[in-house]
Amino acid sequence: MKLASLRIITQDIRQSVQFYENVTNLTARWYTEDFAEFSTNSITIAIGSTQTMKMFGGEQQAVSEGHNNTIIEFMVSDVDREYERIKTLTDRIIQEPTTMPWGNRSLLFSDPDGNLINFFTPVSAEAIQKFS
């Protein structure tokens, strides 16, 4: 089994795609007006409008209300430098860069739909080795 992508469902796809373009410095590839993707070397992040949920065989629409039980994580080379950039893009900072007990320095913020995003840099010897 291979984890292929993570999909975010949003009511305002243009706002979400623009946010992720700014945060990741990647350009989205639009497939339809309701679906776009960002590809990294490790995963694809897909963003779909709530309309795409109907294509899965039901009339139920997903409603984005912030999903605080999932965190989308990006390993970055310098979380403190990223913090300086991210705080100019959003006021949704939940935790400024903090060194966690497991050896990562982490910045936690949320996207326009309330999904949590963690930018982290391994800083302890064990964490650096884990990700090398």
Side-chain angles (χ1 to χ4, degrees):
M1 184 181 303
K2 176 184 175 185
L3 178 61
S5 72
L6 167 76
R7 186 176 308 185
I8 299 166
I9 301 299
T10 182
Q11 292 182 27
D12 188 339
I13 189 168
R14 296 228 173 259
Q15 177 186 26
S16 289
V17 168
Q18 181 178 10
F19 176 83
Y20 279 93
E21 283 183 333
N22 290 336
V23 165
T24 64
N25 287 322
L26 298 171
T27 301
R29 179 169 181 203
W30 287 87
Y31 291 92
T32 71
E33 64 183 22
D34 290 311
F35 188 78
E37 289 182 340
F38 298 89
S39 292
T40 73
N41 60 357
S42 59
I43 194 168
T44 296
I45 298 173
I47 301 180
S49 74
T50 53
Q51 297 290 45
T52 62
M53 293 306 292
K54 292 180 181 179
M55 297 173 195
F56 284 99
E59 290 300 312
Q60 178 183 6
Q61 279 194 8
V63 177
S64 267
E65 296 177 357
H67 305 285
N68 294 326
N69 59 342
T70 302
I71 301 175
I72 304 164
E73 297 190 302
F74 296 90
M75 186 167 57
V76 298
S77 62
D78 184 339
V79 74
D80 293 288
R81 184 176 62 228
E82 289 294 331
Y83 170 65
E84 295 303 318
R85 187 177 67 84
I86 295 300
K87 71 181 182 181
T88 68
L89 302 174
T90 183
D91 62 357
R92 297 179 187 99
I93 305 292
I94 296 164
Q95 177 183 283
E96 294 179 2
T98 303
T99 302
M100 309 306 282
W102 46 89
N104 292 336
R105 189 152 172 79
S106 296
L107 161 65
L108 191 65
F109 59 102
S110 69
D111 72 9
D113 293 300
N115 297 298
L116 296 174
I117 302 168
N118 179 33
F119 275 17
F120 73 95
T121 301
V123 293
S124 72
E126 185 177 343
I128 292 167
Q129 181 179 4
K130 175 183 175 184
F131 291 103
S132 61

